[in-house]
Amino acid sequence: MGYVPGRFDRDGAEDMDRIAKTIFAPIYPVIAQQIIERCGISRGRCLDIGSGPGSLGIALAQASALAVTLLDSSPEMIAIAGGNVREAGLSGRVALLSGDVHDIPLPDRSVDLAVSRGSLFFWEDLPRAFSEIHRVLAPGGTAYVGGGFGTAELRDTIAATMERANPDWRSFRDRNLGADNRERVAGILENLGFRHRLVSDDSGFWVVMEKEG
Ligand code: SAM
């Protein structure tokens, strides 16, 4: 298992896909359920930003009536996601879109639920990315953006397995999910002035941004 955080070329996409289908597999249905409960949205249009192989968006489609679009800036990830959507029998309800969170190729107010897991750590300009997410949200829509593993048990089991293969993995995770980064992201959201709340618990670190209806 040669997973290297931040490598999104063909090899990186294949590694992410393998991990998403094995070690990480149990987290996606758990996080999907948390999103549905915490955001109170289970129908309408959903955008999974930095979807990678599409596991979270697929789990959301399976657990709800949402029509999901998987957005990723890596064409290799989108190609793999396409295969996963077909395999799940969800081609009628899960679409694919190549694009960057800093310039989301969707109209204003076109998304009811925007989700993103494990991608914001790679975004170059967080104020611009969150402004783009806010732009595409429909009035009354919610964004759930962050990182984590759903529960403490899943987090700790995954950390132990990932660390065996890559000793740097825990420091990568701690940098992303640690107090300094949480405070940095919180400060950015505060400055932007969008209505939001922060979830910081065993499920991970999540920005829940709501657009006024
Ligand atoms: N969300 C998936 C998951 O949890 O399994 C994949 C997470 S993977 C660690 C991060 C993903 O974010 C990659 O697929 C990468 O291509 C994507 N990404 C990174 N920067 C991006 C950007 N600026 N716009 C859109 N996607 C981006």
Side-chain angles (χ1 to χ4, degrees):
M1 186 192 320
Y3 177 67
V4 179
R7 204 185 63 195
F8 305 130
D9 59 5
R10 190 166 152 200
D11 286 349
E14 284 173 0
D15 284 338
M16 184 71 229
D17 188 45
R18 194 161 41 245
I19 288 167
K21 286 174 175 157
T22 54
I23 305 167
F24 280 31
I27 71 173
Y28 300 106
V30 172
I31 296 172
Q33 207 50 52
Q34 288 168 343
I35 291 173
I36 290 167
E37 279 163 21
R38 289 172 178 177
C39 299
I41 297 176
S42 58
R43 57 185 62 250
R45 299 149 297 178
C46 171
L47 180 67
D48 180 2
I49 300 165
S51 66
S55 314
L56 180 58
I58 289 171
L60 274 164
Q62 286 167 334
S64 72
L66 288 160
V68 179
T69 298
L70 306 178
L71 172 79
D72 205 285
S73 54
S74 156
E76 289 82 4
M77 290 284 187
I78 287 292
I80 287 176
N84 292 337
V85 170
R86 279 193 296 281
E87 229 168 74
L90 283 166
S91 301
R93 203 146 54 84
V94 180
L96 306 167
L97 187 59
S98 272
D100 196 302
V101 67
H102 301 95
D103 191 11
I104 300 176
L106 287 176
D108 298 356
R109 300 182 293 278
S110 58
V111 170
D112 299 296
L113 176 64
V115 304
S116 182
R117 180 201 165 272
S119 186
L120 87 159
F121 312 120
F122 303 102
W123 300 348
E124 278 167 19
D125 184 341
L126 284 184
R128 179 161 170 189
F130 278 109
S131 299
E132 272 295 275
I133 295 170
H134 192 266
R135 176 184 68 76
V136 300
L137 275 184
T142 302
Y144 191 92
V145 176
F149 301 90
T151 68
E153 194 189 347
L154 286 168
R155 178 196 65 209
D156 295 344
T157 309
I158 287 170
T161 310
M162 292 299 285
E163 232 181 340
R164 275 198 294 277
N166 178 354
D168 295 335
W169 193 79
R170 191 181 290 259
S171 69
F172 167 75
R173 186 203 69 179
D174 290 348
R175 197 170 55 244
N176 290 337
L177 291 173
D180 286 355
N181 207 31
R182 290 180 195 220
E183 272 167 35
R184 185 178 72 91
V185 174
I188 288 168
L189 263 296
E190 206 54 48
N191 283 339
L192 282 168
F194 299 137
R195 190 163 78 191
H196 70 282
R197 65 183 192 275
L198 302 174
V199 175
S200 193
D201 60 15
D202 284 345
S203 70
F205 176 58
W206 307 95
V207 175
V208 185
M209 190 166 71
E210 288 161 354
K211 190 161 180 175
E212 281 81 357

